[in-house]
Amino acid sequence: MDSKIYDTLHLRSAELVQEKIGEHVALYSQNSGAIVVTDDLGAAVLQGLQNAKSPTEIGSIIGQHLRDAFAPTESEAEEIGRAIIDGWNSAGLFNEAPAPFPKPISGHATPTDIKTLTYGSRYGRFAVDTDDGLLVKELDEILAHYVDASATDAVGDPFRCLREAEGDLALSYQNEPIWSRTDRDEARFLLLKEAAARICGTERVGAVLHGAAVCNDQGRAIVFIGDSGYGKSTLTQGLVARGCRFLADDHVPLALDGEAILAFPTAAAVKPDAVDLPEVQQLCAQYEMYQSTREGVSYLALPAATEAGTRHEIAAIVMPRYGEESEFTLEKLSPQAAFAACISSGARPNRDKPQIGSLARLCNTVPTYKLEYSSSEQSNQVCLDFLNP
């Protein structure tokens, strides 16, 4: 790495946001959106870079940090420093803009019959222009709570989701692409994430988690976070059948202070392999379940615990994973492991308030558990114990 590149990285390193997470440090670039978690050694390297230290001087800093573990030579310490900085650079931490999309928008869309959809609450509105008729139906099904809501007057710029000549969907905001060309399922997921922030009040939302949530009668919430197919929705429905109250499904807005979630009740998806579960059948007997436009997915019209945007204190975060042959295990995660799991499952900062402080405070203060199970009786009971200690 030559001196000119080092000088550039020195200047850009000053723009990075640092947040302490447990014993580690998260580094965040508001320019590129890149997030890297490092340790005290990495934090010392960053400080050296920000102070315009040379590679040799940064190597000396590394040598001091590692002297109790092993004694690297000057050249070895300098090489360690270069490797750390090269890794950050490859991750996009020093980029001036987000990485190029793998399937960039071509700009060849020829939209016809564009429909503007608007959904709102007393905290804010979300609007999207789209020419995809099935997407219109899907969003209306999921956001039925908000179609006729009494909303604020400020709509803001609408998102756009238009078909390209190649048949993919192109998402943009304020005339700037926000994702690669994509299919309807991913476009719907991304638009709902934006809807969660805006309907709950974009000035009140720090991040949107990929998860689901319920609360007890006192309003204390438990949040389920994880990849699709890991059992978040089914676990949520099982707890509603046991007397909990429904807060959110698939997208959970995190309050700006990181100390609470905001209710975002939508239609609750029921996957085909969950329809015959006793708890789901119990809910079907109480509430309407209807077939959605999405193939193989039904929705339950669960009553909302509170209106959208209502704050709820978080009792625990649970990262579930269901498996027919899984042994029941419950493992408490460190703050840094919880943060990494949130990011890898799809949690992202609010587009209008790009920062990671909210998510860092959440992981530092709320106990987070990894739960593996094969029976809803196991999972439901441990979650009820978190809500009602």
Side-chain angles (χ1 to χ4, degrees):
M1 188 181 297
D2 63 35
S3 59
K4 288 185 179 180
I5 295 177
Y6 238 84
D7 290 343
T8 300
L9 299 187
H10 153 62
L11 294 173
R12 293 182 183 170
S13 67
E15 301 172 351
L16 297 179
V17 175
Q18 301 180 60
E19 292 287 349
K20 189 75 173 174
I21 302 176
E23 298 178 354
H24 288 60
V25 178
L27 310 178
Y28 173 58
S29 167
Q30 294 179 322
N31 295 327
S32 68
I35 302 172
V36 171
V37 177
T38 188
D39 55 14
D40 288 343
L41 177 61
V45 170
L46 178 62
Q47 185 176 12
L49 191 60
Q50 291 175 333
N51 291 336
K53 299 295 185 181
S54 69
T56 300
E57 290 172 319
I58 291 176
S60 178
I61 294 171
I62 289 173
Q64 292 174 14
H65 270 262
L66 296 179
R67 66 180 181 272
D68 292 335
F70 72 102
T73 65
E74 290 184 5
S75 61
E76 288 173 338
E78 185 174 330
E79 186 59 33
I80 291 171
R82 290 181 184 274
I84 291 172
I85 294 171
D86 284 345
W88 294 346
N89 197 28
S90 298
L93 206 56
F94 302 111
N95 290 358
E96 291 187 292
F101 295 123
K103 294 174 64 177
I105 293 176
S106 67
H108 297 153
T110 54
T112 57
D113 299 325
I114 294 178
K115 184 171 182 179
T116 299
L117 308 176
T118 304
Y119 308 94
S121 73
R122 68 188 181 96
Y123 291 107
R125 281 187 178 183
F126 168 75
V128 57
D129 295 336
T130 184
D131 59 351
D132 188 287
L134 281 177
L135 182 63
V136 169
K137 293 179 180 178
E138 290 175 1
L139 291 175
D140 277 347
E141 287 173 346
I142 296 168
L143 297 174
H145 286 293
Y146 309 107
V147 172
D148 297 319
S150 175
T152 61
D153 293 333
V155 176
D157 295 323
F159 287 79
R160 291 175 71 82
C161 183
L162 304 176
R163 287 218 161 269
E164 297 248 299
E166 296 85 352
D168 293 327
L169 288 169
L171 276 73
S172 62
Y173 181 63
Q174 296 179 336
N175 296 319
E176 292 292 332
I178 62 172
W179 202 252
S180 292
R181 301 195 319 271
T182 189
D183 59 23
R184 186 180 299 111
D185 285 345
E186 188 169 40
R188 180 187 63 251
F189 179 84
L190 294 167
L191 288 171
L192 287 171
K193 184 177 292 186
E194 303 292 349
R198 281 158 178 75
I199 288 174
C200 291
T202 189
E203 75 287 348
R204 306 170 68 239
V205 175
V208 178
L209 311 175
H210 181 200
V214 297
C215 67
N216 61 14
D217 289 340
Q218 290 71 47
R220 280 169 52 83
I222 186 168
V223 181
F224 305 108
I225 291 174
D227 293 328
S228 297
Y230 277 19
K232 302 183 301 295
S233 295
T234 303
L235 192 47
T236 297
Q237 291 153 20
L239 289 171
V240 172
R242 295 281 295 270
C244 293
R245 304 172 69 193
F246 178 60
L247 291 176
D249 182 58
D250 219 27
H251 296 85
V252 182
L254 177 65
L256 187 60
D257 60 15
E259 297 176 357
I261 61 166
L262 306 176
F264 181 58
T266 59
V270 180
K271 304 293 176 60
D273 56 357
V275 171
D276 294 329
L277 292 175
E279 56 266 39
V280 174
Q281 287 297 307
Q282 178 184 333
L283 294 175
C284 291
Q286 293 179 266
Y287 310 109
E288 177 190 4
M289 186 171 82
Y290 52 93
Q291 183 63 41
S292 76
T293 305
R294 296 166 59 191
E295 184 176 355
V297 177
S298 300
Y299 285 121
L300 270 169
L302 298 178
T306 53
E307 67 171 331
T310 302
R311 285 177 61 95
H312 289 268
E313 175 191 351
I314 310 166
I317 301 168
V318 173
M319 299 182 174
R321 186 160 191 173
Y322 169 80
E324 288 185 6
E325 306 298 326
S326 294
E327 291 187 11
F328 176 80
T329 59
L330 183 67
E331 175 190 357
K332 188 172 184 180
L333 299 182
S334 65
Q336 56 267 26
F339 183 87
C342 286
I343 294 297
S344 65
S345 67
R348 289 296 181 271
N350 178 1
R351 177 180 304 280
D352 294 338
K353 290 187 176 295
Q355 47 76 42
I356 58 170
S358 306
L359 193 55
R361 285 190 289 276
L362 172 74
C363 296
N364 280 329
T365 58
V366 176
T368 303
Y369 300 89
K370 179 181 177 182
L371 170 65
E372 295 192 13
Y373 65 99
S374 59
S375 158
S376 57
E377 290 183 6
Q378 298 170 329
S379 57
N380 288 343
Q381 187 56 55
V382 73
C383 293
L384 288 172
D385 290 342
F386 286 139
L387 280 175
N388 306 296

